[in-house]
Amino acid sequence: DGGPASDPRLSIAPGRPDDMPALAAMIRALARYERLEHVCVATEGDLAAALLGAQPAADVLIARVDGVPAGFALFFQTFSTFLARRGVWLEDLFVYPEHRGAGVGRALLRAVAGVARDRGCGRFEWSVLDWNAPAIRFYERVGATVMPDWRIVRVAGPAIADLADGRMPPP
């Protein structure tokens, strides 16, 4: 099934301090793929502080093939009021093109699902760009449901302070 147990060359482990350069490179590659390089400003230091500091904001798993970074999954805890249970939100899943189709992405998803199961989560969720048909097909093949009626809503940058301070655009 493409999991780590079926390919002895594939390993998945939590990110460590010495993984931050490889993680930063993979995040930049993901930004290029998603056509979002202009908003990708994360540095190795930013990642280390956010993921490995005293209060980690998220978890990251690094997939390696023959010891070389091949992909990552970055995720964090959420909460469902309807279920009254925690959940896991997969912020990003990325596999280098040369490793796609070899079970790396499936193994990363399985590993994050294992974390969700072990933490007693009621949901494991993520978003996908509507133009990314290969990813949508992959997610459906692993049993995920693409939610057709839901849209991501975002407030970012200076707009956060504007909203917090009541400086909202007129209705």
Side-chain angles (χ1 to χ4, degrees):
D1 66 14
S6 66
D7 184 348
R9 302 174 329 126
L10 175 61
S11 65
I12 296 177
R16 304 177 315 246
D18 60 335
D19 290 322
M20 295 304 106
L23 179 60
M26 288 187 282
I27 290 171
R28 286 189 298 274
L30 173 62
R32 274 192 302 280
Y33 177 77
E34 291 184 345
R35 305 174 195 148
L36 294 170
E37 287 177 279
H38 61 286
V39 297
C40 184
V41 297
T43 67
E44 293 172 24
D46 295 334
L47 292 167
L51 301 174
L52 305 171
Q55 294 182 317
D59 294 287
V60 66
L61 297 174
I62 307 291
R64 289 179 178 77
V65 174
D66 293 328
V68 177
F72 77 94
L74 192 141
F75 56 97
F76 55 87
Q77 180 176 304
T78 62
F79 186 79
S80 167
T81 53
F82 288 2
L83 299 177
R85 291 174 66 188
R86 70 179 67 204
V88 165
W89 180 267
L90 177 65
E91 180 65 15
D92 284 308
L93 175 72
F94 175 77
V95 175
Y96 278 120
E98 60 269 27
H99 295 288
R100 293 181 189 152
V104 177
R106 179 181 294 265
L108 282 165
L109 277 177
R110 287 185 63 198
V112 178
V115 170
R117 177 200 58 216
D118 295 349
R119 292 181 182 176
C121 294
R123 290 183 177 162
F124 171 26
E125 300 176 298
W126 61 94
S127 62
V128 60
L129 291 166
D130 61 359
W131 56 261
N132 196 345
I136 291 169
R137 286 191 301 273
F138 169 65
Y139 295 145
E140 290 173 337
R141 281 196 313 270
V142 299
T145 301
V146 177
M147 308 291 285
D149 299 329
W150 290 85
R151 300 290 183 265
I152 301 292
V153 178
R154 178 178 293 162
V155 178
I160 296 169
D162 290 347
L163 178 58
D165 295 339
R167 294 187 303 269
M168 296 173 277

